[in-house]
């Protein structure tokens, strides 16, 4: 059996197809992947359906808190329909939440792909955890405007915040108590874990 051939496409071909697609996909170095996916026992990529209830609760809570706390400031949060491109490494993806200040700079006249997020949130699940903490964060770090990367676990009470120092190193802080709150320095606001996890019920085993 021969080695399966990978069909590489250009970024413009990806964008043209993605703007007509019913489901979201990521693009990286000529390859296209389902946004919601996992690797099965055979090492094959399998597409998944939508996110869990806890994921959606957390996302809605964060958007609400961010909109409220950023009112009157020149920054706005966007949900997972805002596509992000990183020209330095070609990645096109859809962060769960991205925040832009002084207008989102978009890739082209379609204005559906931004390149200058200040803060990115990803909501961790069993299938996305390794990617969001590993390779995806490595790629995100090449966004020059990115100041903070915040990961919120949808399966347990846990928030991980990465902050970019002036020397370009990243400082990690973890929060595990419902009484905790943390500051997003780039936005000059604080978020409480009790607000982020409002109405979130974790599955028990």
């Amino acid at each position: 059996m021969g080695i399966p051939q990978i069909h590489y496409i250009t970024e413009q071909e990806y964008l043209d197809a993605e703007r007509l697609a019913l489901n979201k996909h990521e693009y990286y170095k000529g390859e296209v992947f389902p946004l919601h996916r996992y690797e099965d026992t055979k090492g094959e990529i399998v597409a998944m359906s939508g996110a869990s209830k806890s994921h959606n609760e957390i996302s809605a809570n964060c958007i609400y808190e961010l909109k409220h706390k950023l009112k009157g400031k020149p920054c706005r949060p966007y949900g997972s329909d805002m596509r992000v491109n990183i020209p330095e490494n070609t990645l096109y993806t859809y962060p769960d939440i991205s925040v832009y200040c002084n207008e989102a700079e978009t890739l082209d006249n379609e204005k559906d792909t931004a390149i200058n997020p200040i803060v990115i949130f990803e909501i961790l699940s069993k299938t996305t955890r390794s990617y969001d903490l590993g390779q995806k964060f490595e790629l995100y770090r090449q966004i020059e405007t990115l100041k903070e990367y915040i990961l919120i676990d949808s399966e347990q009470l846990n928030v991980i915040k990465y902050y970019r120092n002036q020397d370009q190193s990243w400082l990690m802080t973890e929060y595990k108590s419902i009484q905790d709150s943390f500051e997003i320095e780039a936005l000059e606001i604080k978020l409480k874990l009790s607000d982020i996890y409002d109405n979130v019920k974790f599955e028990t085993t």
Side-chain angles (χ1 to χ4, degrees):
M1 181 181 295
I3 299 174
Q5 296 296 310
I6 298 173
H7 176 59
Y8 292 100
I9 66 172
T10 67
E11 294 180 47
Q12 190 59 54
E13 286 172 330
Y14 160 77
L15 285 170
D16 291 343
E18 189 71 357
R19 286 164 175 159
L20 298 174
L22 298 177
N23 298 310
K24 298 174 186 173
H25 303 81
E26 287 189 329
Y27 174 95
Y28 182 58
K29 293 187 175 179
E31 294 187 73
V32 176
F33 308 92
L35 180 64
H36 300 291
R37 62 187 187 272
Y38 69 95
E39 201 170 285
D40 66 13
T41 55
K42 297 179 181 178
E44 297 179 353
I45 299 298
V46 179
M48 296 175 57
S49 57
S52 67
K53 181 178 183 297
S54 60
H55 183 290
N56 284 300
E57 291 281 3
I58 291 167
S59 180
N61 290 340
C62 287
I63 289 285
Y64 174 83
E65 292 297 322
L66 288 166
K67 278 185 169 292
H68 174 69
K69 293 179 184 297
L70 291 173
K71 189 173 182 179
K73 295 177 180 284
C75 303
R76 289 185 60 83
Y78 292 86
S80 59
D81 283 335
M82 176 61 88
R83 185 168 50 244
V84 168
N85 170 238
I86 309 173
E88 289 79 6
N89 56 46
T90 78
L91 179 69
Y92 288 79
T93 189
Y94 297 83
D96 288 316
I97 301 169
S98 50
V99 184
Y100 302 82
C101 296
N102 300 314
E103 295 297 329
E105 183 179 345
T106 53
L107 189 66
D108 56 29
N109 290 333
E110 295 293 331
K111 298 187 183 301
D112 58 2
T113 308
I115 60 174
N116 64 326
I118 302 294
V119 180
I120 287 177
F121 291 73
E122 292 288 6
I123 301 169
L124 301 178
S125 67
K126 187 180 298 182
T127 54
T128 66
R129 185 182 311 276
S130 295
Y131 178 45
D132 288 341
L133 284 165
Q135 184 187 17
K136 199 170 194 181
F137 182 33
E138 182 179 341
L139 296 172
Y140 277 157
R141 291 201 294 271
Q142 295 184 46
I143 302 174
E144 291 186 4
T145 56
L146 188 66
K147 304 298 183 186
E148 290 172 72
Y149 182 48
I150 298 165
L151 300 117
I152 303 172
D153 204 315
S154 67
E155 298 179 311
Q156 60 184 332
L157 192 71
N158 189 29
V159 173
I160 300 171
K161 187 187 81 163
Y162 287 94
Y163 173 78
R164 192 198 295 261
N165 292 304
Q166 289 187 347
D167 65 0
Q168 302 303 305
S169 63
W170 289 82
L171 175 67
M172 188 270 277
T173 313
E174 197 166 8
Y175 305 89
K176 293 188 173 185
S177 170
I178 196 66
Q179 284 79 37
D180 284 341
S181 63
F182 62 93
E183 184 173 2
I184 305 178
E185 285 90 341
L187 305 177
E188 298 182 342
I189 62 171
K190 282 188 176 181
L191 294 182
K192 298 178 180 178
L193 267 69
S194 57
D195 292 329
I196 289 173
Y197 284 102
D198 182 50
N199 202 39
V200 174
K201 298 176 176 62
F202 300 115
E203 293 185 10
T204 57
T205 55

